[in-house]
Amino acid sequence: MASSPRSPPPAPPPEFEISRQSRIFAALSKKVIDLDELRMLAAQGVPDAAGVRSTVWKLLLGYLPNDRSLWEQELAKKRSQYAAFKDEFLTNPVETSRQVGKEGHCNDNAEHVRNGLLHRSQVTQEEHPLSLGKTSVWNQFFEYSEIMEQIDRDVKRTHPDMHFFCGDSSFAKSNQESLKNILLIFAKLNAGIRYVQGMNEILAPLFFVFRSDPDDKNAKFAEADSFFCFVELLSGFRDNFCQKLDNSAVGIRGTLAKLSQLVAKYDEELQHHLEITTEVNPQFYAFRWITLLLTQEFNFADTIHIWDTLLSDPDGPQETLLRICCAMLILVRKRLLAGDFTSNLKLLQNYPPTNIGHLLYVANKLH
């Protein structure tokens, strides 16, 4: 059994940071990017320089190929595909009905359409609002109306302290609309999961990074880029969102059990005190840590830096995420060992501000 890292070594010196940043720039400038090298460098944190993180994350998530000569072609293809998804899944049934009328009766529009509405005789059974047909656009619209309302509520609550996401500005409203579009299209394409509350929090960092890209063209297509990267990111831990798998080895309970085992491996005394002595089980605090990828435990800037490390894991974020959660417990072990059920639960549900570089350094030592 490994010894407990009770006094973790100090974080690397500033000179190391400067050297690593220059190496990331060098890695990105190659014609064919070495993804293993990029992952190793990005795991320590990506510099906040203009547009670098946007490019690095797209590479880490497999959205951009490692051959730079293919970027323009691949982006054009994916962005066009997303535009087609929007046309297919986000069209209002009223617009669909109007379009059917225009295409099927283009010669007698004046006679049958009044004020943009179809004459009753022109509405087929499948296009009727009361139709129960599976292919009815109205039936599909009503089927997803509850999901649309849930997405709308959650998106409006996304980072209320940030003008980027909230407020009355046209910029914030446009960003909210993009988040809603992505989440609804995802729900319609993934019928087994649809939309689960909290997915907006996972989407937010991706969209923020891509929308903040100083390259205007990239920023303009942030919605499309975020959609595909969101799909890719979720594929690494989608089982945590599938209710049917909750009690299985691959579901959220299985993931929480892995965290418990990891803590026991590196600090048996802490794990025993938490789960046996004070009966603070991982599901009381780590359920949110894991399912929302730590987006609710730290401020937004710190979350972005944590995600540099999470996205660098070639096998998906899960294993790295568990190590970071374990490191979070180790960094407050003294307070936890001195605490009872109430104080420990309060501490872990409201994790104290911490040096993120140091946290990631400790997590890396658990590898």
Side-chain angles (χ1 to χ4, degrees):
M1 190 170 293
S3 60
S4 165
R6 295 175 191 188
S7 300
E15 309 88 72
F16 176 84
E17 292 298 303
I18 297 167
S19 164
R20 187 181 49 77
Q21 289 183 16
S22 62
R23 287 169 68 195
I24 285 182
F25 283 112
L28 289 176
S29 66
K30 293 178 181 175
K31 286 183 179 178
V32 178
I33 291 156
D34 183 335
L35 289 179
D36 289 335
E37 179 192 19
L38 186 65
R39 286 192 190 102
M40 182 191 73
L41 295 169
Q44 314 294 319
V46 178
D48 291 317
V52 176
R53 180 173 283 111
S54 175
T55 303
V56 169
W57 281 17
K58 287 170 187 172
L59 282 159
L60 293 177
L61 285 163
Y63 181 58
L64 283 178
N66 61 341
D67 186 339
R68 289 176 63 98
S69 67
L70 300 176
W71 284 8
E72 195 171 334
Q73 172 190 338
E74 191 63 25
L75 286 173
K77 186 174 80 175
K78 287 287 176 59
R79 289 164 177 174
S80 173
Q81 188 180 349
Y82 182 74
F85 285 153
K86 287 183 78 169
D87 286 343
E88 182 177 353
F89 296 119
L90 301 183
T91 307
N92 187 298
V94 175
E95 294 301 321
T96 304
S97 297
R98 285 178 183 166
Q99 192 61 35
V100 169
K102 285 178 186 174
E103 291 171 0
H105 308 277
C106 54
N107 295 327
D108 51 4
N109 274 347
E111 183 182 342
H112 292 296
V113 181
R114 294 285 180 269
N115 300 320
L117 300 176
L118 284 172
H119 189 278
R120 181 179 295 178
S121 65
Q122 302 308 119
V123 180
T124 67
Q125 187 176 348
E126 283 302 304
E127 291 147 18
H128 196 283
L130 299 182
S131 168
L132 298 177
K134 289 284 184 188
T135 58
S136 161
V137 289
W138 284 101
N139 191 34
Q140 291 168 15
F141 178 76
F142 292 135
E143 184 185 351
Y144 280 90
S145 61
E146 280 187 41
I147 293 175
M148 289 161 69
E149 287 171 14
Q150 179 69 63
I151 289 172
D152 189 57
R153 282 196 299 272
D154 289 352
V155 164
K156 284 176 179 171
R157 291 195 290 251
T158 305
H159 297 288
D161 56 327
M162 292 178 65
H163 293 303
F164 181 93
F165 293 107
C166 281
D168 295 325
S169 71
S170 58
F171 181 64
K173 288 184 182 300
S174 166
N175 291 339
Q176 283 190 5
E177 202 60 35
S178 290
L179 294 182
K180 286 190 274 191
N181 290 344
I182 292 167
L183 293 169
L184 185 57
I185 291 172
F186 177 85
K188 290 191 172 187
L189 284 171
N190 293 271
I193 298 177
R194 296 200 177 181
Y195 172 76
V196 178
Q197 193 169 13
M199 284 182 175
N200 58 305
E201 303 293 353
I202 297 170
L203 173 59
L206 291 171
F207 184 73
F208 176 85
V209 167
F210 298 159
R211 184 70 182 85
S212 304
D213 193 315
D215 182 317
D216 289 341
K217 187 175 182 184
N218 284 333
K220 177 186 172 186
F221 287 104
E223 187 180 315
D225 296 348
S226 298
F227 170 78
F228 287 105
C229 288
F230 177 70
V231 170
E232 185 58 39
L233 177 57
L234 243 59
S235 71
F237 63 104
R238 61 184 289 149
D239 291 343
N240 288 340
F241 284 102
C242 189
Q243 203 169 0
K244 291 177 183 175
L245 297 175
D246 275 359
N247 296 312
S248 72
V250 295
I252 185 61
R253 289 188 190 278
T255 306
L256 290 168
K258 283 183 185 175
L259 174 61
S260 181
Q261 292 158 13
L262 195 63
V263 178
K265 177 182 177 183
Y266 288 102
D267 198 329
E268 193 173 16
E269 181 187 3
L270 177 59
Q271 188 263 347
H272 187 275
H273 181 76
L274 270 179
E275 296 183 35
I276 308 300
T277 308
T278 64
E279 298 183 339
V280 177
N281 295 317
Q283 59 260 38
F284 297 158
Y285 60 90
F287 181 91
R288 187 178 71 184
W289 291 8
I290 291 167
T291 55
L292 300 187
L293 294 183
L294 298 172
T295 55
Q296 302 300 287
E297 315 315 316
F298 304 96
N299 68 45
F300 196 72
D302 286 345
T303 298
I304 296 288
H305 284 290
I306 288 170
W307 276 36
D308 289 337
T309 301
L310 288 180
L311 300 184
S312 299
D313 191 327
D315 299 318
Q318 189 100 288
E319 297 306 316
T320 298
L321 177 62
L322 291 177
R323 285 195 296 274
I324 294 173
C325 291
C326 184
M328 287 168 68
L329 296 172
I330 289 169
L331 288 184
V332 293
R333 79 181 304 274
K334 285 184 180 177
R335 291 173 65 179
L336 291 172
L337 289 175
D340 58 11
F341 174 84
T342 305
S343 62
N344 284 348
L345 195 60
K346 185 178 179 183
L347 175 64
L348 296 177
Q349 288 183 344
N350 300 276
Y351 196 81
T354 191
N355 182 306
I356 297 303
H358 186 55
L359 170 64
L360 295 175
Y361 189 70
V362 174
N364 188 49
K365 288 294 178 185
L366 304 180
H367 203 291

